[in-house]
Amino acid sequence: MIIKEVQDEIVDEFSMFDDWMQRYEYIIDLGKSLPLIDEQYKTEDNIINGCQSKVWVHAEQNGDKVVFTADSDAILTKGIIAILIRTFSNQKAADILEANTDFIDKIGLKEHLSPTRANGLVSMIKKIKMYALAFNAKN
């Protein structure tokens, strides 16, 4: 599935909920389904700077795709990174770099986060794009 299709699917899922309490619960559920990052990748190199909670993102190349794993010590943040992992994992580095993230605005996520969490979200996206840039440069 291409990135835009995944993003559209996420927007559709969020549109099923009437209020933000339901959306928060859904984000938390998404975090619970996030495959756990291997403990060896919970390092300073993989930590996201700018988040109030700890978030680790690890990437490796598998053929022409970038595969991400992640974890967080906060349940809501874990759900947020789960959305990003679902969107960008198993995609080509060039496609990740070209992808926009307006789906985040469409689901209203940024406006319903505290300023520090919103900054953390931006930092998570930057880290994912930096990994993609590094893998893209290798190819």
Side-chain angles (χ1 to χ4, degrees), residues 3-15:
I3 292 173
K4 181 77 174 107
E5 289 171 354
V6 177
Q7 292 174 341
D8 290 344
E9 194 175 84
I10 291 168
V11 170
D12 287 346
E13 288 167 13
F14 273 81
S15 70

Side-chain angles (χ1 to χ4, degrees), residues 47-53 55 115-124:
I47 208 155
I48 306 280
N49 296 313
C51 285
Q52 69 184 39
S53 48
V55 181
T116 51
R117 281 221 168 89
N119 287 342
L121 172 62
V122 170
S123 296
M124 289 178 216

Side-chain angles (χ1 to χ4, degrees), residues 49-72:
N49 296 313
C51 285
Q52 69 184 39
S53 48
K54 287 192 175 180
V55 181
W56 299 268
V57 176
H58 173 72
E60 32 189 73
Q61 198 158 16
N62 185 357
D64 64 347
K65 308 278 171 99
V66 182
V67 178
F68 293 98
T69 55
D71 196 10
S72 175

Side-chain angles (χ1 to χ4, degrees), residues 1-2 16 37 41 43 52 59-61 63 69 74 78 81 87 89 91 109-110 118 129 138:
M1 195 180 294
I2 63 169
M16 294 187 296
I37 191 171
Y41 299 125
T43 64
Q52 69 184 39
E60 32 189 73
Q61 198 158 16
T69 55
K78 192 171 181 171
I81 193 65
T87 304
S89 193
Q91 301 289 345
L109 189 55
K110 248 189 234 172
K129 296 266 186 176
K138 278 189 195 176

Side-chain angles (χ1 to χ4, degrees), residues 9-132:
E9 194 175 84
I10 291 168
V11 170
D12 287 346
E13 288 167 13
F14 273 81
S15 70
M16 294 187 296
F17 302 107
D18 297 327
D19 63 48
W20 262 92
M21 285 314 295
Q22 291 173 321
R23 289 178 183 194
Y24 286 132
E25 287 173 21
Y26 183 61
I27 292 169
I28 290 167
D29 285 344
L30 291 173
K32 290 176 184 171
S33 68
L34 183 68
L36 287 181
I37 191 171
D38 194 306
E39 287 296 317
Q40 72 180 4
Y41 299 125
K42 286 188 174 183
T43 64
E44 283 301 311
D45 289 343
N46 290 333
I47 208 155
I48 306 280
N49 296 313
C51 285
Q52 69 184 39
S53 48
K54 287 192 175 180
V55 181
W56 299 268
V57 176
H58 173 72
E60 32 189 73
Q61 198 158 16
N62 185 357
D64 64 347
K65 308 278 171 99
V66 182
V67 178
F68 293 98
T69 55
D71 196 10
S72 175
D73 62 356
I75 56 171
L76 187 63
T77 308
K78 192 171 181 171
I80 294 167
I81 193 65
I83 292 169
L84 297 176
I85 297 300
R86 177 174 159 194
T87 304
F88 296 112
S89 193
N90 290 304
Q91 301 289 345
K92 293 180 181 176
D95 294 341
I96 295 168
L97 291 170
E98 291 171 13
N100 70 48
T101 54
D102 63 353
F103 80 104
I104 291 167
D105 294 327
K106 286 181 186 172
I107 62 176
L109 189 55
K110 248 189 234 172
E111 67 190 74
H112 286 90
L113 294 176
S114 66
T116 51
R117 281 221 168 89
N119 287 342
L121 172 62
V122 170
S123 296
M124 289 178 216
I125 293 167
K126 279 185 186 167
K127 182 84 165 180
I128 287 168
K129 296 266 186 176
M130 290 302 291
Y131 276 123

